[in-house]
Every structure is written in structure tokens, then in C-alpha cells.
Amino acid sequence: MRRLIIAGNWKMNKTIKEGEDLIVSFKRRLYNIENIDIVLCPPYTLLSSLSDMLISSNIKLGAQDLFWENKGAYTGKISASQLKDVGCQYVIIGHSERRHYFGETDEMVNKKIKAAIKSALVPIVCVGETLSQREQNQTFEVIKGQIQEGFKDFSQEEIKNLVIAYEPVWAIGTGRNATAEQAEEVQVYIRNLLAEIYDKDIAQGIRIQYGGSVKPENIEQLIQQPDIDGALVGGASLEADSFSQIIEKCIPFS
Ligand code: PEP
């Protein structure tokens, strides 16, 4: 059975003080969760102080992006080894906001995944179709392209620990989540594709999260699906109560 993984993406939200207060609440509420991986991905400016607060905690630290070079003259960029150095264990790669606002391509996603794996960071790789692509029945084709290009030239060994987040772009931050059936259909497609590219055992082991307006009100339907192994949560991870409730509601399925 795959271990559930719930990750919070704070995006460009929270000051250091606000983030620290939230961590205090999360730790108080979630300290006894043992069978679910909990990951928080705050902005870079909070990583250092939250890293100290999360030492010996069941909540792991992740970043929202990285740059593929290890060091050098790349103003404004942060490398995998720097993330590792500050205490990150995970990194989100290819989020749709990065793809759409910052022109991130599958080729860049591929380089970023490579850099993350090299530094022993677990990549949470986001894939997903836009509304118009879904309406034109291009969902599977788009996902296939993102996975084939993004995962190009990886061995089974490299790929086996990464996490995929299926995030339909039309569901992110819109309050309109995919139904459990819509999400499951694509996640089964992703798993079958991984079985084709790698093999069945690898595909069965890779965790696939759903992301897109996940809330305490809809997590139970989603997490019951056999191929949904957790959630990537944006808005609802910014409040102690909603994020904690999402995790608590997953306990019976963990
Ligand atoms: C996200 O940012 O990955 C996300 C899914 O956001 P939200 O939960 O707010 O839709």
C-alpha cells in the first residue's frame, strides 16, 4: 500500500512570524499523525526558521521551486543543494503557476527533476491540463507529453521515489475541484503510462497526489479513490484548521 502524502503549498504568502505561528498550531494539532507524510512548502524566506522549528517533527519541509544549476552567477535563483542545506526534503517542480506565469517548459522541468534527485530531494512534479485542453478532449495527450518530456532519460532507480501531483489547471485556486471520478480517471491514466514507460512495479509504487481546490469538504471523496495517494493543497494549507482537518480526514484511509 502506498503511504499517503499531503503537502501544503503556501505560494507567495506569509511573513516569518505568520508562518511560525501556523507551524506552532500545526505541530500542536498534528503531532500524533504517524501514517501520513505531511509536507509544508513555504516561500524561500521562511525556510530557515521553519526548518529549525520542524526538527524532530513529523512535518517535513519542502520548497516551491529550484534552479537546475548547482551554483554560480544566476541572480535570484536557488539550487537543490541550497535547499538541502536549509533542511528541505521535498521540492515542488513544474507547478502550473510556474509553467503559465514564468514560461516553464517540460525541458526545464526535466532539468529541475534531475537536479533535485541528484541532491536527494524528493520532487513533487505537477502535471495538468487547462480548461480549454479538457474541453477539447486533450487531457490525456497533454498529460502524456508532460510526463514523457519531463521524465525523459531517468532510470527506474531515479524515478521510483518521486511524487506526481495531478493538478488540473482549471481547479487550482478556483474553488472548483475535479470530481473524485475525474481525478481518478486521469490518475489511472498516469499510472498506466508509468507502467508503459518503466514497469508495473515502479508504476504501482509511485505516489500520485491530486491538487486543485482540495478542502476539508471534498478530501474524503477524493482520498477514497484507489489511485489518489494524497493531495497538494494551496489555499486550504494557509489556515491551521482547514489543513489539519484535511489530514485528519485522511487517517481512516492511511
Ligand atoms: C496548488 O497551488 O497546487 C493548489 C492546488 O491550490 P488550491 O488548493 O488553492 O487550488
Side-chain angles (χ1 to χ4, degrees):
M1 191 177 164
R2 292 178 294 271
R3 190 176 159 90
L4 297 184
I5 172 165
I6 310 289
N9 174 13
W10 288 1
K11 309 192 184 187
M12 200 175 68
N13 293 294
K14 307 284 179 198
T15 61
I16 294 173
K17 171 80 171 68
E18 288 165 349
E20 287 176 350
D21 289 348
L22 201 47
I23 293 292
V24 169
S25 307
F26 284 150
K27 281 175 71 173
R28 206 174 282 150
R29 183 123 169 214
L30 300 171
Y31 73 94
N32 60 353
I33 307 275
E34 286 175 357
N35 298 327
I36 300 175
D37 287 337
I38 306 169
V39 182
L40 285 175
C41 303
Y44 291 135
T45 49
L46 280 73
L47 287 174
S48 177
S49 62
L50 300 199
S51 178
D52 291 343
M53 292 179 78
L54 293 176
I55 288 172
S56 308
S57 142
N58 59 342
I59 302 173
K60 306 298 175 209
L61 194 64
Q64 299 173 18
D65 186 30
L66 52 64
F67 187 55
W68 55 79
E69 294 294 342
N70 195 40
K71 61 178 174 180
Y74 302 102
T75 303
K77 296 295 181 191
I78 305 281
S79 72
S81 56
Q82 288 174 313
L83 295 180
K84 195 74 191 169
D85 184 47
V86 76
C88 287
Q89 296 183 33
Y90 293 82
V91 59
I92 298 172
I93 295 177
H95 191 280
S96 68
E97 287 152 16
R98 298 231 38 100
R99 291 179 188 261
H100 295 112
Y101 299 149
F102 304 104
E104 202 157 291
T105 63
D106 292 326
E107 197 188 339
M108 294 173 177
V109 167
N110 180 267
K111 288 185 189 174
K112 290 183 176 192
I113 299 173
K114 212 161 272 175
I117 293 173
K118 208 166 154 198
S119 288
L121 287 168
V122 177
I124 298 177
V125 184
C126 302
V127 296
E129 81 287 1
T130 62
L131 184 58
S132 76
Q133 288 166 336
R134 175 163 278 264
E135 285 171 348
Q136 291 169 59
N137 291 322
Q138 293 170 345
T139 300
F140 294 147
E141 194 186 315
V142 168
I143 302 284
K144 186 175 188 175
Q146 289 172 338
I147 289 191
Q148 280 178 335
E149 296 304 311
F151 290 17
K152 209 177 203 156
D153 299 330
F154 288 117
S155 66
Q156 295 193 358
E157 194 51 35
E158 287 173 312
I159 217 83
K160 70 174 193 218
N161 292 323
L162 63 68
V163 176
I164 295 176
Y166 167 54
E167 298 211 303
V169 179
W170 47 272
I172 299 178
T174 58
R176 176 186 168 189
N177 62 289
T179 63
E181 292 71 27
Q182 283 173 321
E184 174 69 7
E185 182 188 32
V186 178
Q187 307 209 180
V188 167
Y189 175 80
I190 294 173
R191 205 174 297 287
N192 289 339
L193 187 60
L194 294 170
E196 257 175 52
I197 303 174
Y198 301 98
D199 72 29
K200 209 162 170 231
D201 288 348
I202 295 284
Q204 281 306 320
I206 289 179
R207 295 181 292 176
I208 308 176
Q209 299 174 305
Y210 165 77
S213 298
V214 171
K215 301 181 273 279
E217 296 77 36
N218 58 27
I219 186 65
E220 278 166 307
Q221 295 97 297
L222 290 160
I223 209 69
Q224 285 181 47
Q225 301 297 316
D227 288 278
I228 298 184
D229 308 315
L232 180 54
V233 185
S237 71
L238 295 170
E239 301 291 334
D241 194 46
S242 49
F243 192 58
S244 302
Q245 272 196 52
I246 288 172
I247 293 165
E248 286 158 359
K249 288 190 173 191
C250 289
I251 296 173
F253 308 98
S254 65

